[in-house]
Amino acid sequence: MQPLLAHNYSDLPASLSSACSPTPVKAPFLFASNKSLAETLGIDLDWFAAADAAEFFGGSSAHERYQSRATAYAGFQFGQYNPQLGDGRALLLGELQDVAGQTWEIQLKGAGPTPFSRGGDGRSAIGPVIREYLISEWMHSQSVPTTRALGALTTGEPVVRDRILPGGILIRVAPSHIRFGSFQYAAARQDNDALNALVALSFERHYPTHPPAHRTASTLLELVIDRTAELVARWFSLGFIHGVMNTDNMSVGGLTIDYGPCAFQDDFQWKRVFSSIDTRGRYRFDNQPPVALWNLARFAESLLPLLDDNESAAISLAEQALTNFESQFNAYRDAIFAQKLGLDSTLGSYDRICQPLLNLLQESRADFTLSFAYLEALTRSNTERVTLLERLLPQQDKLKAFWRTHLAEDAAYPQTGATNPLRIPRNHQIEQVIKAAETGDFAPFSALERALLGETSEYSEEDIRGPKPQEWLNRTFCGT
Ligand code: AMP
Ligand code: MG
Protein backbone atom coordinates (compact mmCIF):
# COMPACT_ATOMS: atom_id res chain seq x y z
CA MET A 1 0.00 0.00 0.00
CA GLN A 2 1.15 3.52 -0.77
CA PRO A 3 2.48 5.19 2.40
CA LEU A 4 0.19 7.65 4.08
CA LEU A 5 1.96 10.99 4.00
CA ALA A 6 1.48 13.98 6.29
CA HIS A 7 1.74 17.52 4.94
CA ASN A 8 3.30 19.63 7.66
CA TYR A 9 4.92 22.13 5.33
CA SER A 10 1.53 23.35 4.12
CA ASP A 11 0.78 24.41 7.71
CA LEU A 12 3.62 26.96 7.58
CA PRO A 13 2.94 30.52 6.38
CA ALA A 14 1.81 30.41 2.76
CA SER A 15 4.77 32.41 1.45
CA LEU A 16 7.10 29.48 2.20
CA SER A 17 5.75 27.03 -0.41
CA SER A 18 3.45 26.56 -3.39
CA ALA A 19 1.23 23.58 -4.19
CA CYS A 20 2.58 21.81 -7.25
CA SER A 21 2.13 18.31 -8.65
CA PRO A 22 4.81 16.36 -10.44
CA THR A 23 4.59 16.22 -14.23
CA PRO A 24 3.91 12.63 -15.37
CA VAL A 25 6.67 10.84 -17.24
CA LYS A 26 6.46 8.24 -19.98
CA ALA A 27 7.96 5.15 -18.40
CA PRO A 28 8.97 5.43 -14.73
CA PHE A 29 11.28 2.61 -13.70
CA LEU A 30 12.78 2.24 -10.23
CA PHE A 31 16.30 1.02 -10.97
CA ALA A 32 17.60 1.59 -7.43
CA SER A 33 15.64 0.98 -4.28
CA ASN A 34 17.01 1.37 -0.79
CA LYS A 35 15.13 -1.38 1.03
CA SER A 36 16.74 -0.85 4.41
CA LEU A 37 15.76 2.83 4.41
CA ALA A 38 12.29 1.90 3.15
CA GLU A 39 11.99 -0.51 6.05
CA THR A 40 13.09 2.15 8.55
CA LEU A 41 10.42 4.43 7.13
CA GLY A 42 7.79 1.74 7.51
CA ILE A 43 7.14 1.63 3.75
CA ASP A 44 5.35 -1.51 2.57
CA LEU A 45 8.14 -3.39 0.77
CA ASP A 46 5.76 -5.27 -1.55
CA TRP A 47 4.27 -1.98 -2.68
CA PHE A 48 7.76 -0.48 -3.02
CA ALA A 49 8.76 -3.30 -5.38
CA ALA A 50 5.63 -2.96 -7.53
CA ALA A 51 4.93 -0.80 -10.56
CA ASP A 52 2.53 1.36 -8.53
CA ALA A 53 5.46 2.70 -6.47
CA ALA A 54 7.47 3.53 -9.60
CA GLU A 55 4.44 5.40 -10.95
CA PHE A 56 3.91 7.24 -7.69
CA PHE A 57 7.54 8.29 -7.20
CA GLY A 58 7.92 8.88 -10.92
CA GLY A 59 5.14 11.45 -10.70
CA SER A 60 2.89 9.48 -13.03
CA SER A 61 0.03 8.60 -10.69
CA ALA A 62 -3.23 10.51 -11.00
CA HIS A 63 -2.90 14.11 -9.81
CA GLU A 64 -5.24 13.68 -6.88
CA ARG A 65 -2.72 11.32 -5.27
CA TYR A 66 -0.31 14.20 -4.72
CA GLN A 67 -0.45 17.02 -2.24
CA SER A 68 3.12 17.95 -3.06
CA ARG A 69 4.64 21.38 -2.58
CA ALA A 70 7.60 23.28 -3.93
CA THR A 71 9.35 25.15 -1.13
CA ALA A 72 10.66 28.69 -1.38
CA TYR A 73 14.17 29.78 -0.57
CA ALA A 74 16.72 32.42 -1.48
CA GLY A 75 20.48 32.08 -1.39
CA PHE A 76 23.93 33.55 -1.80
CA GLN A 77 25.34 31.86 -4.90
CA PHE A 78 29.10 32.29 -5.17
CA GLY A 79 28.70 35.28 -2.85
CA GLN A 80 25.89 36.98 -4.82
CA TYR A 81 22.45 37.21 -3.25
CA ASN A 82 19.64 35.69 -5.31
CA PRO A 83 16.27 36.53 -3.71
CA GLN A 84 14.27 33.88 -5.53
CA LEU A 85 15.50 30.32 -5.85
CA GLY A 86 13.29 27.61 -4.33
CA ASP A 87 12.56 24.06 -5.42
CA GLY A 88 13.00 24.47 -9.15
CA ARG A 89 13.40 20.77 -9.81
CA ALA A 90 12.38 19.28 -6.49
CA LEU A 91 9.00 18.64 -4.91
CA LEU A 92 8.14 17.82 -1.34
CA LEU A 93 5.70 14.89 -1.48
CA GLY A 94 5.02 14.98 2.25
CA GLU A 95 6.28 13.51 5.49
CA LEU A 96 6.47 10.07 7.03
CA GLN A 97 7.12 9.08 10.61
CA ASP A 98 9.51 6.18 11.17
CA VAL A 99 9.18 3.53 13.87
CA ALA A 100 11.34 5.59 16.24
CA GLY A 101 9.04 8.61 15.87
CA GLN A 102 11.41 10.64 13.67
CA THR A 103 9.63 12.57 10.90
CA TRP A 104 11.16 12.41 7.42
CA GLU A 105 10.39 14.52 4.37
CA ILE A 106 10.09 12.65 1.08
CA GLN A 107 11.19 14.68 -1.92
CA LEU A 108 11.34 14.02 -5.62
CA LYS A 109 14.28 15.58 -7.41
CA GLY A 110 13.69 15.97 -11.13
CA ALA A 111 9.88 15.65 -11.13
CA GLY A 112 9.14 18.50 -13.52
CA PRO A 113 8.70 22.27 -13.48
CA THR A 114 7.51 24.17 -10.42
CA PRO A 115 6.67 27.84 -9.80
CA PHE A 116 10.38 28.21 -8.87
CA SER A 117 11.85 26.70 -12.03
CA ARG A 118 12.84 30.09 -13.52
CA GLY A 119 12.70 28.77 -17.07
CA GLY A 120 14.42 25.48 -16.24
CA ASP A 121 12.80 22.16 -17.13
CA GLY A 122 12.59 20.89 -13.54
CA ARG A 123 14.19 17.68 -14.69
CA SER A 124 17.38 15.85 -13.95
CA ALA A 125 19.54 13.71 -16.16
CA ILE A 126 20.34 10.20 -14.99
CA GLY A 127 23.97 11.08 -14.18
CA PRO A 128 23.40 13.47 -11.25
CA VAL A 129 20.74 11.07 -9.89
CA ILE A 130 23.19 8.18 -9.84
CA ARG A 131 25.94 10.34 -8.38
CA GLU A 132 23.75 11.59 -5.54
CA TYR A 133 22.29 8.14 -4.83
CA LEU A 134 25.69 6.49 -4.44
CA ILE A 135 27.55 9.30 -2.71
CA SER A 136 24.83 10.29 -0.25
CA GLU A 137 24.24 6.70 0.84
CA TRP A 138 27.99 6.10 1.15
CA MET A 139 28.35 9.28 3.23
CA HIS A 140 25.63 7.91 5.49
CA SER A 141 27.53 4.64 5.80
CA GLN A 142 30.53 6.67 7.01
CA SER A 143 28.44 8.51 9.64
CA VAL A 144 28.52 11.79 7.75
CA PRO A 145 25.22 13.63 8.29
CA THR A 146 23.45 13.73 4.95
CA THR A 147 20.17 13.65 3.11
CA ARG A 148 19.38 10.06 2.16
CA ALA A 149 18.38 8.37 -1.07
CA LEU A 150 15.33 6.11 -0.94
CA GLY A 151 15.38 5.25 -4.60
CA ALA A 152 16.18 6.34 -8.12
CA LEU A 153 14.17 6.13 -11.33
CA THR A 154 14.56 6.47 -15.02
CA THR A 155 11.75 8.41 -16.63
CA GLY A 156 11.76 7.01 -20.16
CA GLU A 157 12.09 10.61 -21.37
CA PRO A 158 15.10 12.52 -22.64
CA VAL A 159 16.41 15.71 -21.08
CA VAL A 160 18.32 18.26 -23.06
CA ARG A 161 21.62 19.42 -21.58
CA ASP A 162 24.85 19.85 -23.55
CA ARG A 163 23.70 16.53 -25.03
CA ILE A 164 20.44 14.65 -24.99
CA LEU A 165 20.44 12.38 -21.96
CA PRO A 166 18.05 9.95 -20.32
CA GLY A 167 16.02 11.58 -17.55
CA GLY A 168 16.08 10.44 -13.93
CA ILE A 169 14.36 11.16 -10.62
CA LEU A 170 15.89 10.81 -7.19
CA ILE A 171 13.70 10.07 -4.17
CA ARG A 172 15.41 12.07 -1.48
CA VAL A 173 14.68 11.76 2.21
CA ALA A 174 15.71 13.96 5.15
CA PRO A 175 14.31 15.14 8.50
CA SER A 176 13.90 18.43 6.64
CA HIS A 177 15.30 20.11 3.57
CA ILE A 178 15.30 23.54 5.27
CA ARG A 179 18.27 25.55 4.09
CA PHE A 180 20.01 28.70 5.31
CA GLY A 181 18.39 30.17 2.21
CA SER A 182 14.90 29.31 3.50
CA PHE A 183 15.50 31.75 6.36
CA GLN A 184 16.99 34.31 3.98
CA TYR A 185 13.82 34.16 1.89
CA ALA A 186 11.64 34.93 4.93
CA ALA A 187 14.02 37.59 6.26
CA ALA A 188 14.11 39.43 2.92
CA ARG A 189 10.31 39.70 3.12
CA GLN A 190 10.53 40.88 6.74
CA ASP A 191 8.16 38.05 7.52
CA ASN A 192 8.80 37.27 11.18
CA ASP A 193 5.95 34.76 11.30
CA ALA A 194 7.65 32.73 8.57
CA LEU A 195 10.99 33.05 10.36
CA ASN A 196 9.50 31.86 13.64
CA ALA A 197 7.80 28.95 11.89
CA LEU A 198 11.10 27.90 10.32
CA VAL A 199 12.86 28.11 13.69
CA ALA A 200 10.20 25.90 15.28
CA LEU A 201 10.28 23.33 12.46
CA SER A 202 14.09 23.24 12.49
CA PHE A 203 14.09 22.35 16.18
CA GLU A 204 11.35 19.76 15.72
CA ARG A 205 13.16 17.97 12.93
CA HIS A 206 16.84 18.40 13.70
CA TYR A 207 17.14 19.19 17.41
CA PRO A 208 14.13 17.35 18.86
CA THR A 209 15.74 16.64 22.21
CA HIS A 210 16.26 20.34 22.87
CA PRO A 211 13.79 21.43 25.58
CA PRO A 212 10.81 23.26 24.02
CA ALA A 213 11.13 26.14 26.48
CA HIS A 214 14.61 26.96 25.11
CA ARG A 215 13.88 26.77 21.41
CA THR A 216 14.95 30.31 20.60
CA ALA A 217 16.57 31.71 17.47
CA SER A 218 19.83 32.33 19.32
CA THR A 219 19.99 28.72 20.51
CA LEU A 220 19.24 27.54 17.00
CA LEU A 221 22.09 29.67 15.69
CA GLU A 222 24.49 28.11 18.21
CA LEU A 223 23.33 24.60 17.32
CA VAL A 224 23.60 25.17 13.58
CA ILE A 225 27.11 26.60 13.99
CA ASP A 226 28.13 23.52 15.96
CA ARG A 227 26.59 21.02 13.51
CA THR A 228 28.08 22.81 10.52
CA ALA A 229 31.52 22.80 12.15
CA GLU A 230 31.25 19.05 12.66
CA LEU A 231 29.94 18.47 9.14
CA VAL A 232 32.78 20.32 7.44
CA ALA A 233 35.31 18.51 9.65
CA ARG A 234 33.81 15.18 8.55
CA TRP A 235 34.01 16.19 4.88
CA PHE A 236 37.62 17.15 5.50
CA SER A 237 38.42 13.74 7.01
CA LEU A 238 37.26 11.96 3.85
CA GLY A 239 38.79 14.35 1.32
CA PHE A 240 35.30 15.41 0.25
CA ILE A 241 34.69 18.60 -1.70
CA HIS A 242 31.05 19.67 -1.81
CA GLY A 243 31.70 21.99 -4.71
CA VAL A 244 28.76 24.38 -4.46
CA MET A 245 28.43 25.61 -0.89
CA ASN A 246 25.93 28.34 -1.69
CA THR A 247 23.69 29.22 1.25
CA ASP A 248 20.76 27.52 -0.49
CA ASN A 249 22.79 24.31 -0.34
CA MET A 250 23.47 24.51 3.41
CA SER A 251 21.16 22.56 5.70
CA VAL A 252 19.89 23.94 9.00
CA GLY A 253 20.35 20.43 10.41
CA GLY A 254 24.01 20.28 9.36
CA LEU A 255 23.32 17.66 6.69
CA THR A 256 25.24 17.32 3.46
CA ILE A 257 22.63 18.49 0.96
CA ASP A 258 22.48 19.05 -2.81
CA TYR A 259 25.14 16.80 -4.21
CA GLY A 260 26.08 18.52 -7.44
CA PRO A 261 29.64 18.72 -8.69
CA CYS A 262 30.93 17.13 -5.49
CA ALA A 263 33.85 14.70 -5.53
CA PHE A 264 36.48 13.07 -3.34
CA GLN A 265 40.16 13.77 -3.59
CA ASP A 266 42.26 11.02 -5.13
CA ASP A 267 45.81 12.38 -4.84
CA PHE A 268 45.63 15.04 -2.17
CA GLN A 269 45.86 18.78 -2.87
CA TRP A 270 44.91 21.42 -0.32
CA LYS A 271 43.50 23.66 -3.02
CA ARG A 272 41.75 21.03 -5.13
CA VAL A 273 38.69 22.21 -7.08
CA PHE A 274 36.55 19.89 -9.19
CA SER A 275 33.51 21.95 -10.12
CA SER A 276 33.61 23.36 -13.63
CA ILE A 277 31.70 26.47 -12.52
CA ASP A 278 33.93 27.25 -9.54
CA THR A 279 36.41 29.14 -11.67
CA ARG A 280 37.93 31.10 -8.76
CA GLY A 281 38.15 28.17 -6.37
CA ARG A 282 35.76 29.72 -3.85
CA TYR A 283 34.67 26.23 -2.78
CA ARG A 284 38.07 24.55 -3.05
CA PHE A 285 38.97 21.91 -0.46
CA ASP A 286 40.77 24.09 2.07
CA ASN A 287 38.33 26.98 1.75
CA GLN A 288 35.36 24.94 2.98
CA PRO A 289 35.70 25.94 6.68
CA PRO A 290 35.94 29.73 6.04
CA VAL A 291 33.14 29.50 3.49
CA ALA A 292 30.99 27.63 5.99
CA LEU A 293 31.60 30.46 8.47
CA TRP A 294 30.74 33.07 5.83
CA ASN A 295 27.51 31.18 5.12
CA LEU A 296 26.74 30.96 8.83
CA ALA A 297 27.18 34.73 9.08
CA ARG A 298 24.57 35.17 6.32
CA PHE A 299 22.30 32.73 8.20
CA ALA A 300 22.82 34.73 11.42
CA GLU A 301 21.86 37.95 9.59
CA SER A 302 18.56 36.40 8.59
CA LEU A 303 17.85 35.63 12.25
CA LEU A 304 18.67 39.14 13.54
CA PRO A 305 15.03 40.27 13.86
CA LEU A 306 14.40 37.33 16.19
CA LEU A 307 17.59 37.63 18.22
CA ASP A 308 16.82 40.95 19.89
CA ASP A 309 14.50 43.91 19.32
CA ASN A 310 17.54 46.13 19.59
CA GLU A 311 19.52 45.68 16.37
CA SER A 312 22.97 46.29 17.81
CA ALA A 313 22.28 43.87 20.66
CA ALA A 314 21.16 41.30 18.06
CA ILE A 315 24.31 41.84 16.02
CA SER A 316 26.62 41.41 18.99
CA LEU A 317 24.78 38.22 19.98
CA ALA A 318 25.24 36.84 16.47
CA GLU A 319 28.89 37.87 16.34
CA GLN A 320 29.55 36.24 19.66
CA ALA A 321 28.08 32.95 18.45
CA LEU A 322 30.02 33.08 15.18
CA THR A 323 33.37 33.59 16.91
CA ASN A 324 33.06 30.05 18.26
CA PHE A 325 33.01 28.44 14.83
CA GLU A 326 36.74 28.26 14.28
CA SER A 327 37.55 26.61 17.59
CA GLN A 328 34.59 24.25 17.20
CA PHE A 329 35.72 23.25 13.72
CA ASN A 330 39.30 22.75 14.93
CA ALA A 331 38.16 20.61 17.85
CA TYR A 332 36.09 18.33 15.58
CA ARG A 333 38.83 18.17 12.96
CA ASP A 334 41.51 17.35 15.54
CA ALA A 335 39.42 14.62 17.16
CA ILE A 336 38.43 13.00 13.86
CA PHE A 337 41.96 13.03 12.43
CA ALA A 338 43.42 11.74 15.71
CA GLN A 339 40.99 8.85 15.41
CA LYS A 340 42.02 8.27 11.79
CA LEU A 341 45.65 7.99 12.86
CA GLY A 342 44.95 6.00 16.03
CA LEU A 343 46.21 8.82 18.26
CA ASP A 344 45.03 10.45 21.43
CA SER A 345 43.30 13.67 20.37
CA THR A 346 44.16 15.49 23.59
CA LEU A 347 47.83 15.58 22.61
CA GLY A 348 47.52 18.18 19.86
CA SER A 349 48.34 15.66 17.17
CA TYR A 350 46.74 17.58 14.33
CA ASP A 351 49.35 20.36 14.15
CA ARG A 352 52.30 18.13 15.02
CA ILE A 353 51.47 15.08 12.95
CA CYS A 354 48.45 15.36 10.75
CA GLN A 355 49.12 18.64 8.99
CA PRO A 356 52.71 17.58 8.11
CA LEU A 357 51.27 14.29 6.88
CA LEU A 358 48.79 16.08 4.61
CA ASN A 359 51.65 18.25 3.33
CA LEU A 360 53.60 15.08 2.60
CA LEU A 361 50.62 13.63 0.71
CA GLN A 362 50.39 16.81 -1.34
CA GLU A 363 54.12 16.95 -2.13
CA SER A 364 54.32 13.30 -3.07
CA ARG A 365 50.93 13.25 -4.83
CA ALA A 366 49.82 10.35 -2.70
CA ASP A 367 46.28 9.05 -2.70
CA PHE A 368 44.40 10.46 0.32
CA THR A 369 42.25 7.42 1.06
CA LEU A 370 44.86 4.74 0.45
CA SER A 371 47.53 6.58 2.46
CA PHE A 372 45.40 6.70 5.61
CA ALA A 373 44.38 3.07 5.11
CA TYR A 374 48.07 2.15 4.68
CA LEU A 375 49.17 3.90 7.89
CA GLU A 376 46.36 2.12 9.72
CA ALA A 377 47.37 -1.25 8.25
CA LEU A 378 50.96 -0.66 9.39
CA THR A 379 49.82 0.17 12.91
CA ARG A 380 47.59 -2.89 13.00
CA SER A 381 50.39 -5.07 11.53
CA ASN A 382 47.85 -6.25 8.97
CA THR A 383 50.35 -7.74 6.52
CA GLU A 384 47.80 -8.75 3.91
CA ARG A 385 46.45 -5.21 3.68
CA VAL A 386 49.93 -3.68 3.83
CA THR A 387 50.93 -5.81 0.83
CA LEU A 388 47.79 -4.90 -1.10
CA LEU A 389 48.27 -1.19 -0.45
CA GLU A 390 51.98 -1.21 -1.20
CA ARG A 391 51.14 -2.39 -4.72
CA LEU A 392 49.04 0.76 -5.16
CA LEU A 393 51.13 3.34 -3.34
CA PRO A 394 54.36 4.32 -5.10
CA GLN A 395 54.91 6.64 -2.10
CA GLN A 396 55.11 3.71 0.34
CA ASP A 397 58.71 4.41 1.42
CA LYS A 398 57.93 8.00 2.40
CA LEU A 399 54.76 6.95 4.16
CA LYS A 400 56.49 4.16 6.01
CA ALA A 401 59.25 6.50 7.13
CA PHE A 402 56.60 8.95 8.34
CA TRP A 403 54.85 6.14 10.18
CA ARG A 404 58.09 5.06 11.90
CA THR A 405 58.87 8.59 13.06
CA HIS A 406 55.43 9.77 14.11
CA LEU A 407 53.11 6.85 14.65
CA ALA A 408 54.83 3.53 15.31
CA GLU A 409 55.21 4.16 19.03
CA ASP A 410 51.99 5.93 19.91
CA ALA A 411 49.30 4.82 17.49
CA ALA A 412 46.69 2.21 18.40
CA TYR A 413 43.21 1.44 17.08
CA PRO A 414 40.19 -0.19 18.64
CA GLN A 415 40.08 -3.94 17.93
CA THR A 416 37.01 -4.09 15.73
CA GLY A 417 36.62 -2.88 12.16
CA ALA A 418 38.81 -0.49 10.22
CA THR A 419 38.69 3.22 10.99
CA ASN A 420 39.76 4.45 7.55
CA PRO A 421 37.73 3.45 4.51
CA LEU A 422 39.54 1.47 1.84
CA ARG A 423 36.89 1.93 -0.76
CA ILE A 424 35.29 5.28 -1.57
CA PRO A 425 33.01 6.40 -4.42
CA ARG A 426 35.85 7.23 -6.82
CA ASN A 427 35.04 9.81 -9.47
CA HIS A 428 36.25 7.61 -12.31
CA GLN A 429 34.13 4.69 -11.11
CA ILE A 430 31.02 6.81 -10.85
CA GLU A 431 31.65 8.22 -14.33
CA GLN A 432 31.93 4.70 -15.77
CA VAL A 433 28.68 3.67 -14.11
CA ILE A 434 26.92 6.78 -15.42
CA LYS A 435 28.19 6.23 -18.96
CA ALA A 436 26.84 2.67 -18.93
CA ALA A 437 23.51 3.78 -17.45
CA GLU A 438 23.17 6.39 -20.19
CA THR A 439 23.17 3.52 -22.68
CA GLY A 440 20.60 1.59 -20.62
CA ASP A 441 23.06 -0.75 -18.91
CA PHE A 442 22.52 -0.66 -15.14
CA ALA A 443 24.66 -3.70 -14.28
CA PRO A 444 27.75 -1.56 -13.46
CA PHE A 445 25.57 0.66 -11.24
CA SER A 446 24.25 -2.33 -9.30
CA ALA A 447 27.75 -3.75 -8.92
CA LEU A 448 29.12 -0.46 -7.57
CA GLU A 449 26.11 -0.03 -5.31
CA ARG A 450 26.71 -3.48 -3.80
CA ALA A 451 30.43 -2.87 -3.46
CA LEU A 452 30.06 0.54 -1.80
CA LEU A 453 26.98 -0.03 0.29
CA GLY A 454 26.94 -3.79 0.85
CA GLU A 455 28.75 -5.73 3.50
CA THR A 456 31.87 -6.60 1.45
CA SER A 457 35.22 -6.48 3.18
CA GLU A 458 37.17 -8.21 0.39
CA TYR A 459 38.71 -5.79 -2.06
CA SER A 460 40.75 -6.23 -5.18
CA GLU A 461 43.32 -3.73 -6.39
CA GLU A 462 40.93 -2.77 -9.16
CA ASP A 463 38.19 -1.91 -6.64
CA ILE A 464 40.25 0.46 -4.56
CA ARG A 465 42.86 1.96 -6.85
CA GLY A 466 42.94 5.63 -7.78
CA PRO A 467 42.35 6.75 -11.37
CA LYS A 468 44.79 5.96 -14.15
CA PRO A 469 45.97 9.06 -16.02
CA GLN A 470 43.39 8.54 -18.78
CA GLU A 471 40.62 8.18 -16.17
CA TRP A 472 41.57 11.27 -14.22
CA LEU A 473 38.62 13.58 -14.01
CA ASN A 474 39.61 17.08 -13.10
CA ARG A 475 36.23 18.63 -13.71
CA THR A 476 32.77 17.77 -12.43
CA PHE A 477 29.49 19.32 -13.49
CA CYS A 478 26.29 20.27 -11.74
CA GLY A 479 24.31 18.67 -14.52
CA THR A 480 21.44 21.13 -14.13
P1 AMP B 1 21.65 23.83 -7.15
O1 AMP B 1 22.63 24.81 -6.61
O2 AMP B 1 22.17 22.98 -8.27
O3 AMP B 1 21.10 22.98 -6.06
O4 AMP B 1 20.43 24.63 -7.80
C1 AMP B 1 20.25 26.02 -7.73
C2 AMP B 1 18.84 26.42 -8.07
O5 AMP B 1 18.55 26.12 -9.44
C3 AMP B 1 17.76 25.74 -7.26
O6 AMP B 1 16.75 26.68 -7.02
C4 AMP B 1 17.27 24.65 -8.17
O7 AMP B 1 15.96 24.26 -7.88
C5 AMP B 1 17.37 25.32 -9.52
N1 AMP B 1 17.50 24.35 -10.64
C6 AMP B 1 18.56 23.56 -10.87
N2 AMP B 1 18.33 22.80 -11.97
C7 AMP B 1 17.10 23.10 -12.44
C8 AMP B 1 16.31 22.66 -13.53
N3 AMP B 1 16.73 21.72 -14.38
N4 AMP B 1 15.10 23.21 -13.69
C9 AMP B 1 14.66 24.15 -12.84
N5 AMP B 1 15.36 24.61 -11.78
C10 AMP B 1 16.57 24.10 -11.58
MG1 MG C 1 20.50 23.52 -4.44
Side-chain angles (χ1 to χ4, degrees):
M1 208 180 67
Q2 182 187 316
L4 207 59
L5 299 174
H7 300 282
N8 300 158
Y9 219 89
S10 50
D11 297 337
L12 303 190
S15 61
L16 291 175
S17 68
S18 290
C20 177
S21 287
T23 307
V25 296
K26 209 159 126 194
F29 172 67
L30 196 64
F31 68 89
S33 45
N34 187 341
K35 294 190 190 63
S36 79
L37 180 55
E39 215 162 6
T40 310
L41 296 174
I43 291 176
D44 172 354
L45 292 183
D46 291 334
W47 174 82
F48 195 41
D52 193 31
E55 291 221 328
F56 179 67
F57 290 123
S60 296
S61 296
H63 270 244
E64 48 293 358
R65 287 175 73 179
Y66 299 103
Q67 293 178 54
S68 40
R69 303 191 77 81
T71 73
Y73 51 83
F76 285 86
Q77 299 181 302
F78 290 90
Q80 297 296 316
Y81 182 64
N82 188 331
Q84 179 87 20
L85 291 165
D87 289 334
R89 59 164 164 178
L91 277 175
L92 175 58
L93 282 180
E95 301 92 14
L96 265 183
Q97 220 174 47
D98 70 17
V99 276
Q102 164 78 51
T103 300
W104 297 85
E105 290 183 354
I106 317 280
Q107 259 205 3
L108 300 179
K109 204 171 164 185
T114 77
F116 303 105
S117 292
R118 298 174 293 145
D121 60 2
R123 294 293 187 196
S124 180
I126 191 74
V129 169
I130 285 182
R131 179 177 276 275
E132 178 158 350
Y133 186 94
L134 291 173
I135 300 185
S136 67
E137 282 305 300
W138 186 80
M139 293 287 258
H140 173 72
S141 77
Q142 300 298 308
S143 308
V144 182
T146 177
T147 59
R148 304 288 308 275
L150 176 63
L153 301 103
T154 46
T155 60
E157 291 182 2
V159 296
V160 183
R161 297 292 180 264
D162 55 335
R163 311 174 272 144
I164 294 185
L165 294 162
I169 294 175
L170 182 81
I171 314 167
R172 182 164 69 173
V173 173
S176 96
H177 294 79
I178 304 173
R179 301 135 193 282
F180 294 4
S182 315
F183 290 82
Q184 283 153 356
Y185 185 89
R189 281 153 189 77
Q190 300 180 335
D191 187 342
N192 285 2
D193 288 346
L195 277 175
N196 278 314
L198 287 169
V199 169
L201 190 63
S202 303
F203 271 108
E204 227 173 81
R205 295 292 173 73
H206 298 287
Y207 308 95
T209 56
H210 206 78
H214 301 287
R215 294 184 179 184
T216 61
S218 68
T219 312
L220 181 66
L221 177 61
E222 284 167 16
L223 293 168
V224 176
I225 290 171
D226 186 60
R227 286 259 179 110
T228 305
E230 180 178 2
L231 178 72
V232 178
R234 289 197 178 277
W235 290 352
F236 196 179
S237 76
L238 293 169
F240 179 76
I241 305 171
H242 181 282
V244 60
M245 288 173 70
N246 295 333
T247 61
D248 50 304
N249 294 335
M250 299 289 294
S251 147
V252 75
L255 309 175
T256 314
I257 191 170
D258 281 9
Y259 291 80
C262 63
F264 295 88
Q265 301 240 23
D266 294 300
D267 65 296
F268 177 74
Q269 296 286 311
W270 284 106
K271 302 203 179 306
R272 175 82 75 216
V273 178
F274 285 108
S275 168
S276 60
I277 55 170
D278 191 4
T279 46
R280 295 183 171 196
R282 180 182 176 90
Y283 300 136
R284 66 179 183 263
F285 182 75
D286 67 351
N287 214 31
Q288 295 185 115
V291 154
L293 176 59
W294 191 88
N295 288 341
L296 284 162
R298 306 288 81 72
F299 173 61
E301 280 165 6
S302 71
L303 290 177
L304 288 177
L306 305 187
L307 291 179
D308 200 298
D309 290 340
N310 176 316
E311 198 184 1
S312 54
I315 291 172
S316 66
L317 227 158
E319 282 175 349
Q320 189 54 45
L322 291 162
T323 52
N324 294 329
F325 174 82
E326 193 179 340
S327 59
Q328 280 165 298
F329 170 77
N330 288 346
Y332 282 117
R333 178 200 59 190
D334 295 3
I336 297 168
F337 273 96
Q339 207 177 22
K340 280 174 81 64
L341 293 171
L343 295 172
D344 183 340
S345 67
T346 57
L347 304 177
S349 55
Y350 183 82
D351 291 342
R352 275 188 309 113
I353 301 178
C354 196
Q355 188 143 9
L357 170 64
L358 292 169
N359 292 338
L360 170 69
L361 298 191
Q362 172 165 275
E363 282 154 26
S364 59
R365 299 199 151 265
D367 187 272
F368 180 90
T369 306
L370 299 184
S371 297
F372 278 96
Y374 180 58
L375 296 172
E376 179 172 352
L378 288 171
T379 301
R380 288 184 185 274
S381 307
N382 182 342
T383 21
E384 204 178 315
R385 194 158 277 195
V386 166
T387 314
L388 170 68
L389 289 164
E390 284 186 347
R391 287 202 291 271
L392 294 167
L393 277 168
Q395 303 83 354
Q396 55 177 282
D397 289 346
K398 284 184 182 149
L399 288 166
K400 201 171 210 168
F402 188 93
W403 176 79
R404 274 201 210 96
T405 319
H406 297 284
L407 298 167
E409 299 238 322
D410 301 327
Y413 290 95
Q415 287 285 308
T416 50
T419 303
N420 292 287
L422 199 52
R423 177 145 208 182
I424 62 164
R426 299 263 182 194
N427 309 327
H428 68 279
Q429 293 171 331
I430 293 183
E431 284 311 305
Q432 282 164 10
V433 162
I434 291 173
K435 275 212 177 95
E438 285 174 356
T439 68
D441 177 9
F442 286 88
F445 167 80
S446 303
L448 190 59
E449 183 192 16
R450 265 196 312 278
L452 284 174
L453 309 174
E455 296 293 303
T456 333
S457 56
E458 295 298 313
Y459 300 100
S460 70
E461 278 177 50
E462 184 58 20
D463 293 333
I464 64 170
R465 68 170 173 81
K468 295 175 180 164
Q470 68 272 22
E471 292 169 332
W472 168 242
L473 202 91
N474 68 343
R475 283 287 169 264
T476 51
F477 301 89
C478 272
T480 50

